[in-house]
Amino acid sequence: MRALWRFPLAPAIEVAGWFSCKRAKSEGRPPAPLGARILTNPEHIFRHNMWDHVQWSEQEKEFARQKVTENSREKIPVAEQAKFDIDASKYWDGFYEMHQNKFFKDRSWLFHEFPELLTTETPGCILVPEPGEGQRNGAPTLQQGSGGDGETADFPGKQASFRIFEIGCGAGNSVFPIISSIRGTGSFLYCCDFSPRAVRLVKDHPGYDGSVCHAFVHDIRQGGAVLPFPPRSLDVVLLVFMLSSVHPARVQDVVSRLAHFLKPGGVLLFRDYGRYDLSQLRFKKGRCLSENFYTRGDGTCVYFFTKDEIHELFKSAGLEEIQNLEDRRLQVNRGKKVVMRRVWMQGKFRKPCPSP
Ligand SMILES: C[S@@+](CC[C@H](N)C(=O)[O-])C[C@H]1O[C@@H](n2cnc3c(N)ncnc32)[C@H](O)[C@@H]1O
């Protein structure tokens, strides 16, 4: 039987986990831009499947806090925790073996919220090559991490005028909308996932186009590993529901590493789970690894961020905040007449230009 939760101040509305699977499938938002749908009359709630900028009452906040206190009281013993980090790629690979490309939906909101993906040049910074650097197509050709010859080395997308890198691309729900939009624009997309099955799904998809995209298997936690482009060569780094999978103790390293690959003036675009999202409240006791970090039944992990944490994370990586918002909304199943409170974080952070 599905679990129905009634939030204290919403007596007419059942707030439900209507999904039969272990996680909320619909991570994202509808095509209407954020802020376009504000619920002013509660009687209109079933007119749309999503409402923006929902205020929570004190009672609702307290309800959420209590749920989280309850489900995180019992932590998984430390001795059993390491496997969720060490074998993270195996757990995600198992996920893609099970669900193939059927789980996540295409990110239809992507270009509404992140029009930066459709830009074809990064404005702003005048790059002065450092000693030993060349410069071609807006990208300083630095030496690669392994000591490769940055000046002469070839790399996929070298001729591109604009380079995007999506980390944790999964089955390609952002990749394929991006590929369709960048053909013929001079832009190039790199995408990686540490699940070999996910990358296989992307490469075998009929929409995959090697002339504008390079998909590869890579664990972004591995600091020393070589990426197929030089440092300071990316215009956009894209993280869609990916950072939450990384152990909180490793997140800062990951973000700092990504910042290193951005061009000055380049932007990092981020969307992920927020604190007290429905999917956090739905965790049962015994799934908590540490505060706000849980493992699901299939071994994959998820963290729930706050605005302050996001701010600190990207600031510590040397990035300037352009946007950092907590996207609180009501997700409505009009057929079943149930409403869910979702919390997603959305951010944009720019790598500053070097001072003249
Ligand atoms: C929730 S899924 C999101 C997939 C995709 N971004 C989307 O929006 O549909 C998280 C993805 O991040 C990948 N991932 C998690 N940790 C990773 C890591 N350290 N390096 C590379 N990929 C990782 C997982 O394999 C999974 O495909």
Side-chain angles (χ1 to χ4, degrees), residues 293-331:
F293 188 51
Y294 302 78
T295 181
R296 304 177 180 105
D298 60 7
T300 62
C301 295
V302 59
Y303 185 81
F304 297 88
F305 294 98
T306 64
K307 254 172 96 154
D308 288 349
E309 287 170 352
I310 299 295
H311 176 80
E312 278 308 312
L313 197 56
F314 293 102
K315 188 177 145 206
S316 302
L319 303 180
E320 290 168 348
E321 190 170 298
I322 307 169
Q323 181 191 69
N324 179 10
L325 57 88
E326 190 182 53
D327 179 9
R328 288 186 181 183
R329 53 190 55 229
L330 282 182
Q331 195 175 16

Side-chain angles (χ1 to χ4, degrees), residues 36-260:
R37 288 185 183 149
I38 307 290
L39 181 64
T40 48
N41 181 347
E43 286 180 13
H44 296 167
I45 193 156
F46 294 112
R47 288 194 182 174
H48 290 298
N49 54 10
M50 198 76 90
W51 295 99
D52 295 337
H53 302 317
V54 175
Q55 300 297 317
W56 288 25
S57 68
E58 280 311 313
Q59 252 180 302
E60 285 162 337
K61 285 182 202 162
E62 187 48 35
F63 175 84
R65 276 194 288 267
Q66 271 174 24
K67 276 268 167 205
V68 168
T69 306
E70 277 164 31
N71 73 19
S72 56
R73 196 168 283 135
E74 247 174 64
K75 305 276 188 306
I76 292 177
V78 175
E80 289 171 34
Q81 289 203 12
K83 67 176 183 211
F84 295 110
D85 186 48
I86 295 165
D87 295 335
S89 64
K90 289 189 195 146
Y91 288 123
W92 274 106
D93 212 46
F95 172 88
Y96 289 108
E97 181 179 21
M98 164 99 87
H99 298 287
Q100 300 286 306
N101 58 1
K102 307 279 184 293
F103 196 87
F104 302 113
K105 290 185 193 155
D106 270 0
R107 306 303 184 181
S108 53
W109 47 267
L110 201 63
F111 302 118
H112 286 290
E113 300 304 331
F114 299 148
E116 295 82 356
L117 289 164
L118 299 176
T119 323
T120 48
E121 65 184 83
T122 289
C125 296
I126 298 161
L127 293 185
V128 180
E130 287 167 5
E133 278 184 9
Q135 184 153 8
R136 199 166 294 144
N137 298 317
T141 51
L142 293 178
Q143 296 229 323
Q144 296 212 9
S146 63
D149 178 0
E151 189 58 53
T152 55
D154 228 355
F155 63 92
K158 186 177 184 178
Q159 302 307 323
S161 55
F162 194 82
R163 299 188 190 86
I164 303 165
F165 179 29
E166 188 193 5
I167 303 92
C169 61
N173 296 86
S174 300
V175 168
F176 296 108
I178 296 174
I179 288 181
S180 305
S181 307
I182 63 173
R183 273 201 197 91
T185 64
S187 296
F188 194 87
L189 172 68
Y190 305 91
C191 60
C192 79
D193 203 288
F194 67 0
S195 153
R197 275 198 179 86
V199 174
R200 194 72 267 155
L201 286 168
V202 169
K203 289 180 126 173
D204 287 349
H205 191 283
Y208 185 74
D209 179 348
S211 70
V212 289
C213 181
H214 176 67
F216 57 101
V217 177
H218 180 76
D219 183 344
I220 201 66
R221 300 171 303 174
Q222 290 180 352
V226 180
L227 285 164
F229 41 75
R232 300 211 301 161
S233 63
L234 300 173
D235 296 272
V236 175
V237 163
L238 179 65
L239 294 165
V240 180
F241 293 99
M242 179 273 157
L243 220 47
S244 51
S245 321
V246 177
H247 191 289
R250 293 175 177 271
V251 169
Q252 186 65 65
D253 273 1
V254 167
V255 172
S256 300
R257 179 164 186 239
L258 292 173
H260 177 61

